[in-house]
Coordinates of all heavy atoms in Angstrom, one line a residue:
L703 N 103.7 95.7 86.8 CA 104.7 95.2 87.6 C 104.6 93.7 87.9 O 105.7 93.0 88.0 CB 104.6 96.0 89.0 CG 105.0 97.4 89.0 CD1 104.7 98.1 90.3 CD2 106.4 97.6 88.7
Q704 N 103.4 93.2 88.0 CA 103.3 91.7 88.1 C 103.7 91.0 87.0 O 104.5 90.0 87.0 CB 101.8 91.4 88.4 CG 101.3 91.8 89.8 CD 99.8 91.5 90.0 OE1 99.2 91.1 89.1 NE2 99.3 91.7 91.2
I705 N 103.5 91.6 85.7 CA 103.9 91.0 84.6 C 105.5 91.0 84.5 O 106.1 90.0 84.1 CB 103.3 91.6 83.3 CG1 101.8 91.4 83.2 CG2 104.0 91.2 82.0 CD1 101.0 92.3 82.2
R706 N 106.0 92.2 84.8 CA 107.3 92.3 84.7 C 108.1 91.3 85.8 O 109.1 90.7 85.5 CB 107.7 93.8 85.2 CG 109.2 94.2 85.3 CD 109.9 93.9 84.0 NE 111.3 94.3 84.0 CZ 112.2 93.9 83.2 NH1 111.8 93.0 82.2 NH2 113.4 94.3 83.3
V707 N 107.4 91.2 87.0 CA 108.1 90.3 87.9 C 108.0 88.9 87.5 O 109.0 88.1 87.6 CB 107.2 90.3 89.3 CG1 107.5 89.1 90.2 CG2 107.4 91.6 90.1
K708 N 106.9 88.5 86.8 CA 106.9 87.1 86.2 C 107.9 87.0 85.1 O 108.7 85.9 85.1 CB 105.5 86.8 85.5 CG 104.4 86.6 86.6 CD 103.1 86.4 85.9 CE 102.0 86.3 86.9 NZ 100.7 86.1 86.3
E709 N 108.1 87.9 84.2 CA 109.2 88.0 83.3 C 110.5 87.9 83.9 O 111.4 87.1 83.4 CB 109.2 89.2 82.4 CG 107.9 89.1 81.4 CD 107.9 90.6 80.8 OE1 108.6 91.4 81.0 OE2 106.9 90.7 79.9
L710 N 110.8 88.7 84.9 CA 112.0 88.5 85.6 C 112.3 87.2 86.3 O 113.5 86.7 86.2 CB 112.2 89.7 86.6 CG 112.2 91.0 86.1 CD1 112.1 92.1 87.3 CD2 113.6 91.3 85.4
Q711 N 111.2 86.6 86.8 CA 111.3 85.3 87.3 C 111.7 84.2 86.3 O 112.7 83.4 86.6 CB 110.0 84.8 88.1 CG 109.8 85.5 89.3 CD 108.5 85.2 90.0 OE1 107.7 84.5 89.4 NE2 108.2 85.6 91.2
T712 N 111.1 84.3 85.2 CA 111.4 83.3 84.1 C 112.9 83.6 83.6 O 113.7 82.6 83.5 CB 110.5 83.3 83.0 OG1 110.3 84.8 82.6 CG2 109.0 83.0 83.5
E713 N 113.1 84.8 83.5 CA 114.6 85.0 83.0 C 115.6 84.6 84.0 O 116.6 84.1 83.7 CB 114.7 86.6 82.8 CG 115.9 87.0 82.1 CD 116.0 88.5 81.8 OE1 114.8 89.3 82.0 OE2 117.0 89.0 81.5
N714 N 115.3 84.9 85.3 CA 116.2 84.5 86.4 C 116.4 83.0 86.4 O 117.4 82.4 86.6 CB 115.8 85.1 87.7 CG 115.9 86.5 87.9 OD1 116.8 87.0 87.2 ND2 115.2 87.2 88.6
D715 N 115.2 82.3 86.3 CA 115.2 80.8 86.2 C 116.1 80.3 85.1 O 116.9 79.4 85.3 CB 113.8 80.3 86.2 CG 113.0 80.6 87.4 OD1 113.6 80.8 88.4 OD2 111.6 80.5 87.3
Y716 N 115.9 80.9 84.0 CA 116.6 80.6 82.7 C 118.1 80.8 83.0 O 119.0 79.9 82.8 CB 116.2 81.3 81.5 CG 117.0 81.0 80.4 CD1 116.9 79.7 79.6 CD2 117.8 82.0 79.8 CE1 117.7 79.5 78.5 CE2 118.5 81.7 78.7 CZ 118.5 80.5 78.1 OH 119.3 80.3 77.0
Q717 N 118.4 81.9 83.6 CA 119.8 82.3 83.9 C 120.4 81.3 84.9 O 121.5 80.9 84.8 CB 120.0 83.7 84.4 CG 119.6 84.8 83.4 CD 120.5 84.9 82.2 OE1 121.8 84.5 82.3 NE2 120.1 85.3 81.0
L718 N 119.7 80.9 85.9 CA 120.1 80.0 86.8 C 120.5 78.7 86.3 O 121.4 78.1 86.6 CB 119.1 79.9 88.1 CG 119.0 81.1 89.1 CD1 117.8 80.9 90.0 CD2 120.3 81.2 89.8
R719 N 119.4 78.2 85.4 CA 119.8 76.9 84.7 C 121.0 77.0 83.9 O 121.8 76.1 83.9 CB 118.6 76.6 83.8 CG 117.4 76.1 84.6 CD 116.4 75.4 83.7 NE 115.8 76.2 82.8 CZ 114.8 77.0 82.8 NH1 114.0 77.0 84.0 NH2 114.2 77.7 81.9
L720 N 121.2 78.1 83.1 CA 122.5 78.2 82.4 C 123.7 78.2 83.3 O 124.6 77.5 82.9 CB 122.4 79.5 81.6 CG 121.4 79.5 80.4 CD1 121.5 81.0 79.7 CD2 121.9 78.5 79.3
K721 N 123.5 78.9 84.5 CA 124.7 79.0 85.4 C 125.0 77.6 85.9 O 126.1 77.2 86.1 CB 124.4 79.9 86.4 CG 124.5 81.4 86.0 CD 124.3 82.4 87.1 CE 124.3 83.8 86.8 NZ 124.1 84.7 87.9
D722 N 123.9 76.8 86.2 CA 124.1 75.5 86.7 C 124.8 74.6 85.6 O 125.7 73.8 86.0 CB 122.7 74.8 87.1 CG 122.1 75.5 88.3 OD1 122.9 76.1 89.1 OD2 120.8 75.4 88.4
V723 N 124.3 74.7 84.5 CA 125.0 74.0 83.4 C 126.5 74.3 83.3 O 127.3 73.4 83.3 CB 124.3 74.1 82.1 CG1 125.1 73.5 80.9 CG2 122.9 73.6 82.2
N724 N 126.7 75.6 83.2 CA 128.1 76.1 83.1 C 129.0 75.7 84.4 O 130.1 75.2 84.2 CB 128.2 77.7 83.0 CG 127.5 78.1 81.7 OD1 127.6 77.5 80.7 ND2 127.0 79.2 81.8
C725 N 128.3 75.9 85.5 CA 129.1 75.4 86.7 C 129.4 74.0 86.7 O 130.6 73.4 87.1 CB 128.3 75.8 87.9 SG 128.1 77.5 88.4
N726 N 128.4 73.1 86.3 CA 128.7 71.6 86.2 C 129.8 71.2 85.3 O 130.7 70.5 85.6 CB 127.4 70.9 85.8 CG 126.3 70.9 86.9 OD1 126.6 71.0 88.1 ND2 125.1 71.0 86.4
E727 N 129.8 72.0 84.0 CA 131.0 71.8 83.1 C 132.2 72.3 83.7 O 133.3 71.6 83.5 CB 130.6 72.6 81.9 CG 129.5 72.0 81.0 CD 129.1 72.8 79.8 OE1 129.8 73.9 79.7 OE2 128.2 72.4 79.0
K728 N 132.2 73.4 84.5 CA 133.5 73.9 85.0 C 133.9 72.9 86.1 O 135.1 72.7 86.2 CB 133.3 75.3 85.5 CG 133.1 76.4 84.5 CD 132.9 77.7 85.2 CE 132.8 78.8 84.1 NZ 132.6 80.1 84.7
I729 N 132.9 72.4 86.9 CA 133.3 71.4 87.9 C 134.0 70.1 87.3 O 135.1 69.7 87.8 CB 132.1 71.0 88.8 CG1 131.7 72.3 89.7 CG2 132.4 69.9 89.6 CD1 130.3 72.0 90.2
K730 N 133.4 69.7 86.3 CA 134.0 68.5 85.6 C 135.5 68.9 85.1 O 136.4 68.1 85.3 CB 133.2 68.1 84.4 CG 131.9 67.3 84.8 CD 131.1 67.1 83.6 CE 129.7 66.4 84.0 NZ 128.9 66.1 82.8
E731 N 135.6 70.0 84.4 CA 137.0 70.5 84.0 C 137.9 70.5 85.1 O 139.0 70.0 85.0 CB 136.8 71.7 83.2 CG 136.1 71.7 81.9 CD 135.9 73.1 81.2 OE1 136.3 74.0 81.8 OE2 135.3 73.0 80.1
I732 N 137.4 71.3 86.1 CA 138.3 71.5 87.3 C 138.8 70.1 88.0 O 139.9 69.9 88.4 CB 137.7 72.4 88.3 CG1 137.5 73.8 87.7 CG2 138.5 72.5 89.6 CD1 136.6 74.8 88.5
K733 N 137.7 69.2 88.1 CA 138.0 67.9 88.6 C 139.0 67.2 87.7 O 139.9 66.6 88.4 CB 136.7 67.0 88.5 CG 136.7 65.8 89.4 CD 135.3 65.3 89.5 CE 135.4 64.1 90.5 NZ 134.0 63.5 90.6
E734 N 138.9 67.3 86.4 CA 139.9 66.5 85.6 C 141.4 67.2 85.8 O 142.3 66.5 85.9 CB 139.6 66.6 84.2 CG 138.3 65.8 83.8 CD 137.9 66.0 82.4 OE1 138.4 66.8 81.6 OE2 136.8 65.4 81.9
I735 N 141.3 68.5 85.7 CA 142.6 69.3 86.0 C 143.3 68.8 87.4 O 144.4 68.5 87.4 CB 142.4 70.8 85.9 CG1 141.9 71.1 84.6 CG2 143.6 71.5 86.4 CD1 141.5 72.5 84.4
F736 N 142.4 68.8 88.4 CA 142.9 68.5 89.7 C 143.4 67.1 89.9 O 144.4 66.8 90.6 CB 141.8 68.8 90.8 CG 141.7 70.2 91.2 CD1 140.5 70.7 91.6 CD2 142.7 71.0 91.2 CE1 140.4 72.1 92.0 CE2 142.6 72.4 91.5 CZ 141.5 72.8 91.9
T737 N 142.8 66.2 89.2 CA 143.1 64.8 89.2 C 144.5 64.7 88.6 O 145.4 64.0 89.0 CB 142.2 63.9 88.5 OG1 141.9 64.4 87.2 CG2 140.9 63.7 89.3

Side-chain angles (χ1 to χ4, degrees):
L703 290 172
Q704 288 174 357
I705 293 167
R706 180 61 179 157
V707 166
K708 289 179 181 177
E709 291 175 355
L710 289 172
Q711 284 177 351
T712 54
E713 187 177 350
N714 289 333
D715 294 339
Y716 177 68
Q717 294 293 335
L718 286 172
R719 285 197 296 273
L720 288 178
K721 285 182 181 178
D722 290 339
V723 172
N724 294 330
C725 289
N726 291 329
E727 292 177 355
K728 287 181 181 178
I729 287 166
K730 289 180 182 177
E731 293 175 0
I732 291 166
K733 195 172 182 181
E734 292 175 358
I735 292 166
F736 279 149
T737 51

